[in-house]
Amino acid sequence: MKEKKFEFSYEVYDDIKELNKPDAELLSKARHSTAGAYAPYSRFHVGAVARTVDGDLITGTNQENASFPVGICAERSLLASAAALFPNSAIETMAISYDNKNDGTKSDRPISPCGMCRQALQEYEVRGKRPLRLILGGQSGKIIVVSSTSQLLPFAFTPDELV
Ligand code: THU
């Protein structure tokens, strides 16, 4: 028997002012993009903005539906747009924010992508052949930066399994 360990490091910032300029701009845009979410059922408005390696910006917001399972998260709506609009480019960094309109919490701490989005992000990273950085932050408060999205999905099911 061998025991193995999975671990990864991530960065935690106390405030957006501590981020470098491009990262701060991306998170600020993600915070504002939550206004475009369609979330009448959960009232949990999520917005994501990504920068490609060529400097193009792409936005995604959660889009809910009266038939609940039809709804899509902000991260996957962004990835679909990215793949359609820039099929030959890769995302360098994606910032994800939210505005919880139910709000006891004031949306003041980071959220991280759901399991389904982690799977989608992981495959997008494989396709792009480069790490996809994530900046996670609420409307205020602490910010987490993860240097590669696949770190959030150990033991991922990947395209390699299908060959
Ligand atoms: N949601 C996202 O868009 N991204 C996440 O990372 C977590 C959850 C959406 C799905 C649903 O519309 C609402 O937030 C509440 O779960």
Side-chain angles (χ1 to χ4, degrees):
M1 194 279 273
K2 278 187 196 142
E3 195 173 297
K4 300 202 173 183
K5 193 191 274 186
F6 173 84
E7 57 186 358
F8 76 102
S9 345
Y10 56 94
E11 298 162 6
V12 183
Y13 298 84
D14 282 332
D15 191 87
I16 193 170
K17 292 191 197 94
E18 287 180 18
L19 296 180
N20 65 37
K21 203 167 167 233
D23 284 356
E25 274 173 12
L26 214 56
L27 178 58
S28 175
K29 285 181 191 299
R31 285 175 172 175
H32 287 111
S33 75
T34 59
Y38 177 69
Y41 308 107
S42 71
R43 294 172 48 81
F44 193 84
H45 295 227
V46 185
V49 177
R51 183 183 291 109
T52 69
V53 287
D54 302 318
D56 293 302
L57 294 180
I58 309 151
T59 301
T61 53
N62 56 332
Q63 299 295 320
E64 297 185 348
N65 192 281
S67 174
F68 292 177
V70 176
I72 185 169
C73 293
E75 294 89 331
R76 277 175 296 125
S77 84
L78 188 156
L79 291 181
S81 295
L85 294 171
F86 305 105
N88 300 314
S89 191
I91 291 173
E92 181 215 72
T93 305
M94 181 189 299
I96 304 164
S97 189
Y98 68 103
D99 185 0
N100 184 354
K101 305 280 189 194
N102 299 299
D103 209 333
T105 71
K106 307 290 174 229
S107 310
D108 57 1
R109 55 196 157 91
I111 55 159
S112 64
C114 77
M116 195 183 275
C117 287
R118 288 176 198 213
Q119 181 73 22
L121 285 159
Q122 199 278 143
E123 183 145 337
Y124 189 91
E125 193 172 84
V126 172
R127 285 168 70 181
K129 298 187 177 61
R130 56 163 296 133
L132 195 167
R133 284 176 76 237
L134 293 178
I135 304 170
L136 311 173
Q139 293 298 320
S140 61
K142 282 195 195 313
I143 293 146
I144 289 176
V145 177
V146 177
S147 60
S148 167
T149 187
S150 49
Q151 291 174 313
L152 296 181
L153 195 63
F155 289 90
F157 183 76
T158 71
D160 288 346
E161 324 299 347
L162 295 179
V163 290

